[in-house]
Amino acid sequence: MFSTFRPPGSGNRASRWRPVVDGALRLEAESALRRIAESISGPLTAWAPAGTPEQARAAADIALGSGAAGFAVLQAYLAVAFPAGDHAERSAAYLEAATDAVSLLPLDASLFSGFTGVAWAVEHLADDACGPATQDRLEAIDDALLAHVGDGDGPPHFDLVSGLVGIGVYAAERLPRPGAVDLLRLVVERLWERGERFPEGIAWRTPDDVLASSPWPLGPFDLGLAHGIPCAIALLAISCAHGVEPEKARALLEGAVAWLRHRSLRSEDGSAFPRSTGPGSESSPSRLAWCYGDAGIASALFLAGRGAGVESWVEDGLGLARRAAARAPATSGVRDAPLCHGAAGVAHIFNRFHQATGEQTFADAARVWIRRTLDYLESGRGIGGFRAWLPDAAISGAWADDPGLLSGSAGVGLALLAAVTPVEPEWDRVLLLSARPPTE
């Protein structure tokens, strides 16, 4: 058991986070949050699976993006906001179950579906991951990832969800430990080797097999925060801010931002950036979401400007975010609530911008999107009343009951919690929407 479990935000550092909603909207959001918390609080059955092999695999989901590690994060933040409940104990139980199962399941090194994400949750939530090196239960994970990234070119994709950048996010969470510094340095080195140089800057190519499996017409250069060049930009900014491989990180960052600026559609309507560029892509405005579109790109540019001390990048991010805030919801392509591609993710990004700048525009936009998130609640259906739209299911799409952090109800709960309480959502570092200051 994680007997020294530490809920995030429970230290001495004062948070400047403030609820962005009040009145009737806040009451409605709190009610929805209670529904989600009650739905993601049942007994753990993953560790003695029964029934068909398919049922066993479903029961054994421990991933950060879709399973127990993500549930631990939600329950931990609920514990900070509502300490009278049993959320801390539930979080510790989910986390322990996830870590116990890591050695029993065939997991890859991806952040949201593999063992790296489970380790990120341990680091983020548990004090006993922060002890002396001889007691650091994640040292073995560091060593495994150092070997993985150091083996040839490391993971085939560079992205946040499944590749190099995701491993870098785990390393950043563990800074300034020597193993984490070494791992982040190696990730930057791999990005340096893989970056393609063009007259207008630097970019990273999506692997051919990923393009072949996509239901959408994607070009070789992805512009989404989940899978594309913006996630590399955000991670490189974190590396610069912490002084890890600063010369290469800065050169890559400057090249990538310059390249990205040249991808703007420069249109008046819709988004400023497409989903992807290059042969096979459609140079049309993207949807509005965390995973793709202007909101996620704006966050990456803002983080880059803050991390590297470049005011023009900060202004680029803010300008793009203001444009996204003004976009009519009817043109957004949003069909459901989750963080990844839904209304809660959009709401949370605007909430982040409001907390960082104090701008009323972003507060208003956050409230609009919280309202839309709550509009997707269907009593008696889904997980806590929320269902997830799967746009890639046979291309035409399908609805599913998804409890997960990334594409399901746990993530909706985290966004609602950030909107109605003064608990700073430090969990969103895993989405590259914020970064831990180097002084911590």
Side-chain angles (χ1 to χ4, degrees):
M1 174 64 69
F2 285 85
S3 58
T4 54
F5 172 78
R6 170 187 54 83
S10 59
N12 295 323
R13 183 171 61 86
S15 173
R16 291 177 293 179
W17 194 268
R18 298 291 180 269
V20 75
V21 298
D22 56 15
L25 183 60
R26 177 172 181 168
L27 293 175
E28 190 174 346
E30 289 174 341
S31 175
L33 180 58
R34 284 193 294 272
R35 289 171 181 252
I36 293 171
E38 291 167 1
S39 297
I40 306 178
S41 61
L44 294 170
T45 60
W47 329 121
T52 67
E54 290 75 19
Q55 289 172 330
R57 283 194 293 273
D61 191 345
I62 65 170
L64 177 64
S66 56
F71 306 156
V73 174
L74 171 63
Q75 293 290 345
Y77 279 83
L78 287 167
V80 180
F82 309 109
D86 62 353
H87 300 294
E89 290 77 10
R90 290 187 179 278
S91 179
Y94 276 125
L95 198 59
E96 183 176 27
T99 56
D100 286 349
V102 163
S103 63
L104 304 176
L105 298 173
L107 300 173
D108 62 21
S110 64
L111 182 63
F112 284 100
S113 62
F115 67 84
T116 303
V118 176
W120 183 93
V122 170
E123 177 64 29
H124 190 63
L125 299 179
D127 260 348
D128 58 353
C130 306
T134 56
Q135 300 175 0
D136 187 350
R137 65 186 299 160
L138 295 179
E139 273 193 338
I141 298 295
D142 292 354
D143 292 342
L145 289 173
L146 280 165
H148 178 56
V149 177
D151 181 17
D153 290 332
H157 205 342
F158 75 90
D159 74 335
L160 171 64
V161 171
S162 64
L164 271 173
V165 171
I167 293 172
V169 166
Y170 162 76
E173 193 68 17
R174 282 176 57 74
L175 291 174
R177 293 176 181 79
V181 172
D182 291 343
L183 182 57
L184 184 54
R185 181 181 294 120
L186 189 54
V187 168
V188 173
E189 182 65 32
R190 290 288 176 258
L191 289 173
W192 177 268
E193 294 167 357
R194 292 195 199 182
E196 297 189 29
R197 275 68 175 176
F198 299 94
E200 65 271 31
I202 299 172
W204 292 269
R205 187 179 295 268
T206 302
D208 290 341
D209 61 334
V210 175
L211 296 177
S213 64
S214 173
W216 302 286
L218 288 175
F221 298 102
D222 194 297
L223 300 185
L225 184 56
H227 301 290
I229 280 78
C231 73
I233 287 173
L235 180 68
L236 290 165
I238 293 170
S239 188
C240 286
H242 286 266
V244 177
E245 201 65 31
E247 292 184 5
K248 286 185 176 179
R250 181 73 182 225
L252 288 172
L253 184 56
E254 290 176 350
V257 171
W259 183 92
L260 182 63
R261 282 172 156 172
H262 279 81
R263 307 281 83 77
S264 174
L265 295 172
R266 308 192 187 285
S267 63
E268 296 298 326
D269 300 319
S271 65
F273 289 91
R275 179 188 295 270
S276 65
T277 65
S281 65
E282 293 181 346
S283 295
S284 57
S286 175
R287 63 175 300 154
L288 185 64
W290 167 77
C291 55
Y292 282 100
D294 290 356
I297 296 173
S299 182
L301 289 172
F302 184 78
L303 197 65
R306 287 286 182 90
V310 181
E311 190 60 31
S312 63
W313 298 351
V314 172
E315 290 304 318
D316 283 350
L318 288 173
L320 189 59
R322 294 182 189 115
R323 172 174 173 155
R327 185 171 175 178
T331 72
S332 67
V334 174
R335 298 189 61 171
D336 61 357
L339 284 177
C340 178
H341 50 267
V346 177
H348 186 70
I349 290 174
F350 289 134
N351 193 4
R352 260 288 168 199
F353 271 108
H354 168 63
Q355 303 290 339
T357 66
E359 288 191 24
Q360 190 62 37
T361 294
F362 296 131
D364 292 342
R367 286 189 279 269
V368 166
W369 284 99
I370 288 293
R371 173 69 270 161
R372 291 186 67 84
T373 298
L374 296 171
D375 287 344
Y376 289 114
L377 191 155
E378 300 179 73
S379 183
R381 303 193 68 186
I383 308 296
F386 292 96
R387 307 193 79 202
W389 175 252
L390 306 179
D392 59 344
I395 299 181
S396 59
W399 289 98
D401 295 345
D402 186 341
L405 182 152
L406 190 59
S407 298
S409 296
V412 177
L414 284 166
L416 293 176
L417 190 68
V420 302
T421 73
V423 179
E424 184 173 358
E426 296 176 352
W427 54 265
D428 67 7
R429 295 201 287 255
V430 81
L431 301 178
L432 287 174
L433 295 178
S434 66
R436 183 165 54 84
T439 53
E440 283 192 6

